[in-house]
Each structure stands twice: as C-alpha cells, then as structure tokens.
Amino acid sequence: MAKKDSGTAAAAGADALGYEQARDELIDVVRRLETGGTTLEESLALWERGEELAKVCRRWLDGARARLDASLSDPEPAPAPGPEA
C-alpha cells in the first residue's frame, strides 16, 4: 500500500511542474533509458516517471491549444480604417 501512496504523491508532484521542467526531466528520463545500464526495476520506475511527465506535457500543450483556439474564434473587432476628424 505504501507504494501506491508514493506513486500518488509522485503524480501530484508531476502535476505541479511547468511545461519546460516536465519536458527537460522527460528528456533526461529518455536519455537514461536509452543509455541502459539500469536494473529492470530502475528501468520500470524510469518508464513510469516518463509516462507521468508525458501526460503533464500533453496537458500543458492541450491547454495552450485551447487558449489559442479560443483567442482565434473570438477576435476583437478591428478599428475602422480612415482619417479621424
């Protein structure tokens, strides 16, 4: 049971990361997995962390896309061209 609680705490910690922090940590996790030299247990823990970080990055990117879409769908009226009196 303690392992599940620590996993929940790790996921909550990942959610608090900014996009750049999560991306940079994800890059490091991938690099470590590609390099090898870790035990099976360490590799699995790295993989799980990478999955959490990828979800954080996806949420940030989805949020950014939603903000852009909202901004583009509701443009401010442009001022009328012409000389002012």
Side-chain angles (χ1 to χ4, degrees):
M1 279 252 168
K3 187 168 185 121
K4 186 176 181 183
D5 292 340
S6 65
T8 304
D15 287 340
L17 292 175
Y19 172 77
E20 288 81 6
Q21 292 171 306
R23 180 203 59 211
D24 291 346
E25 188 177 341
L26 180 57
I27 290 168
D28 184 55
V29 166
V30 170
R31 186 177 301 121
R32 290 174 61 192
L33 284 169
E34 289 178 341
T35 302
T38 58
T39 65
L40 177 60
E41 190 64 33
E42 291 168 335
S43 295
L44 287 172
L46 285 169
W47 180 269
E48 290 169 346
R49 180 63 177 164
E51 289 290 329
E52 291 171 7
L53 293 165
K55 288 177 186 175
V56 170
C57 289
R58 174 56 54 199
R59 281 194 294 271
W60 275 105
L61 293 172
D62 289 346
R65 171 55 64 191
R67 287 175 60 188
L68 286 171
D69 289 345
S71 176
L72 293 174
S73 69
D74 188 26
E76 294 181 23
E84 294 185 11

